[in-house]
Amino acid sequence: MKRYFLYINTILKLGIPNVLYIAWYRFTIKIGLRKFLCKEEKTKFEGNFFNPITTEIKDYPEEWKKKLIEEADKIIEGNICYYSFHWKNIGNPPDWFLNPFNGERFPNVNLHWTNLSDFNPKVGDIKNIWEAS
């Protein structure tokens, strides 16, 4: 009985709409609907992914410009800011499958995102890979 009370309490704290959305999300993953709706696009990219800007920034306050330009230069050099705090180098063009916190690459890059586990023992949390996107 205590277990059911815990479930009900958790559902109420999370909110019924949120719990229903997660149930729907997991159901659509399980039946393959998300994979069908979110089809892969194969692209081949060559050259720099990020390019230097060639125009002057006019729409920002002066005090923002220096920091904005510094951060843009870091991105051009292949550094990405993870979780709004950690600057990590993943290259230019970016290595989209690199976990920069442990240096490991995701092993099976051909899997559709709906087939990925949230945590890989070698690579770590999938959020560290997806954050660059």
Side-chain angles (χ1 to χ4, degrees), residues 33-96:
L33 181 62
R34 299 242 174 201
K35 187 173 186 177
F36 175 76
L37 294 175
C38 303
K39 293 184 177 152
E40 291 182 62
E41 290 185 29
K42 300 288 183 188
T43 59
K44 180 159 173 112
F45 185 83
E46 294 180 11
N48 286 338
F49 191 79
F50 303 108
N51 295 313
I53 85 167
T54 57
T55 59
E56 184 178 336
I57 302 167
K58 298 177 183 176
D59 297 339
Y60 292 96
E62 277 301 316
E63 62 270 11
W64 293 7
K65 285 185 182 180
K66 183 179 179 190
K67 183 177 181 194
L68 181 65
I69 291 170
E70 286 173 0
E71 289 184 4
D73 287 340
K74 285 182 184 180
I75 293 169
I76 291 168
E77 293 166 3
N79 297 296
I80 302 293
C81 187
Y82 283 75
Y83 310 110
S84 301
F85 185 76
H86 305 282
W87 283 95
K88 300 288 184 178
N89 190 293
I90 61 169
N92 186 4
D95 183 348
W96 299 111

Side-chain angles (χ1 to χ4, degrees), residues 1-11:
M1 186 69 168
K2 187 176 180 180
R3 185 176 185 178
Y4 293 114
F5 178 74
L6 181 62
Y7 285 142
I8 291 170
N9 191 31
T10 302
I11 289 169

